[in-house]
Amino acid sequence: VGGTAGAELTHTSLPAEHWGLSRPQLLELATQLHRMVETGDLTNRSRMECRQRRIPYYDEQKFQDVDIGPTMHQVNAGYIQPTTLQQDPVHGIPCLSYALHQNAYGLRCDLFISHAWSEGVFELCHTVDRNWPLQCV
């Protein structure tokens, strides 16, 4: 199935409670994002670019801070979207959610996390890791 049809079929066929990430997958995401910030593959927009695009500027010190990091807006634009536009490694379906891109057959979600997209991703991952309930995958 071409385009987004395969992803749409997958998302409508697999219940949302199976769109999860495991704790190790969340920590691996944080590790990957740390590498991208260090190598310059994930960058913060300059004040001028933010003014031109009429989007909020994010403090460079927070962006570079290993305990705070880039916002989820930045992570989504610089890593999640480019990753999920690619075909998933098992079925070859593009445009899946990040969770289904990582777990081709889904992963039951035992823990739901709501977070602010303007907060730092490393801060989020550290907080979730420290508070992850033992009974959850």
Side-chain angles (χ1 to χ4, degrees), residues 72-124:
M72 287 306 295
H73 292 287
Q74 294 166 318
V75 169
N76 187 49
Y79 180 72
I80 301 292
Q81 287 182 7
T83 298
T84 59
L85 284 175
Q86 304 300 313
Q87 295 179 346
D88 83 283
V90 176
H91 303 295
I93 301 172
C95 303
L96 289 170
S97 67
Y98 184 74
L100 292 183
H101 195 273
Q102 298 302 302
N103 299 293
Y105 299 99
L107 179 67
R108 179 149 176 84
C109 183
D110 297 322
L111 176 66
F112 180 81
I113 298 166
S114 179
H115 60 87
W117 276 53
S118 294
E119 75 177 310
V121 68
F122 302 146
E123 184 175 24
L124 169 68

Side-chain angles (χ1 to χ4, degrees), residues 26 30 34 58 62 65-72 115-116 118-131:
L26 179 68
H34 273 288
Y58 186 66
K62 287 182 181 180
D65 190 314
V66 296
D67 293 321
I68 300 174
T71 68
M72 287 306 295
H115 60 87
S118 294
E119 75 177 310
V121 68
F122 302 146
E123 184 175 24
L124 169 68
C125 290
H126 295 313
T127 300
V128 171
D129 183 41
R130 281 192 310 272
N131 295 287

Side-chain angles (χ1 to χ4, degrees), residues 6-7 10 14 18 20 23-24 31 33 36 38 41 43-44 71 89 92 106 117 127-128 133:
T10 301
L14 188 64
H18 293 277
R23 184 180 188 182
T31 299
L33 295 170
M36 291 180 72
E38 287 173 7
D41 292 327
T43 58
N44 194 15
T71 68
W117 276 53
T127 300
V128 171

Side-chain angles (χ1 to χ4, degrees), residues 45 47-56:
R45 291 194 169 111
R47 287 183 190 274
M48 182 179 293
E49 185 179 357
C50 289
R51 263 188 246 114
Q52 290 170 342
R53 291 177 178 235
R54 296 177 189 228
I55 58 174

